[in-house]
Amino acid sequence: MAEAIIEDIQAWTALKMDEYKKIHDLVIELERREEALKSRQDSEAPAVLLRRRNLGDQIWRLKTEIELVWADLHSHRGVLMSRLCRTRRVDE
């Protein structure tokens, strides 16, 4: 039973880390785009400002999503670790 829980912990961690990496890569790409817009000569033009704001909103949303991924990761891992502790106590 303990081995199955350990495998669940490892699988869950890998799944959430993959999810984190995908979101993080998107954030990096959007931040690059935002920086490119900031460095343009017409960076204060209304259309460019609107695109920058849109990118900023997307970055904020994705960073919030990262926080949710971390919370989900730690919450579920905590549940699995508690199960593992109970299982090991029973096995003793």
Side-chain angles (χ1 to χ4, degrees), residues 14-28 66 69-70:
L15 175 76
K16 288 299 174 176
M17 291 306 294
D18 286 343
E19 191 175 337
Y20 163 79
K21 185 176 179 343
K22 289 175 186 173
I23 297 169
H24 184 262
D25 290 346
L26 285 172
V27 168
I28 297 299
I66 285 174
V69 168
W70 281 120

Side-chain angles (χ1 to χ4, degrees), residues 49-63:
L49 286 174
L50 186 58
R51 284 199 308 251
R52 282 176 47 195
R53 182 173 179 167
N54 185 32
L55 284 172
D57 289 347
Q58 289 178 34
I59 292 167
W60 184 263
R61 183 187 60 78
L62 289 171
K63 286 183 176 183

Side-chain angles (χ1 to χ4, degrees), residues 17-87:
M17 291 306 294
D18 286 343
E19 191 175 337
Y20 163 79
K21 185 176 179 343
K22 289 175 186 173
I23 297 169
H24 184 262
D25 290 346
L26 285 172
V27 168
I28 297 299
E29 177 59 32
L30 292 176
E31 286 176 339
R32 282 187 195 135
R33 288 185 200 171
E34 185 180 40
E35 286 302 315
L37 287 175
K38 286 180 183 177
S39 66
R40 289 174 44 166
Q41 280 189 335
D42 65 343
S43 65
E44 297 300 318
V48 176
L49 286 174
L50 186 58
R51 284 199 308 251
R52 282 176 47 195
R53 182 173 179 167
N54 185 32
L55 284 172
D57 289 347
Q58 289 178 34
I59 292 167
W60 184 263
R61 183 187 60 78
L62 289 171
K63 286 183 176 183
T64 302
E65 196 170 323
I66 285 174
E67 293 298 321
L68 294 173
V69 168
W70 281 120
D72 194 27
L73 168 69
H74 292 300
S75 174
H76 192 64
R77 278 179 50 145
V79 168
L80 292 172
M81 293 298 286
S82 295
R83 273 191 214 154
L84 182 60
C85 288
R86 284 193 304 270
T87 302

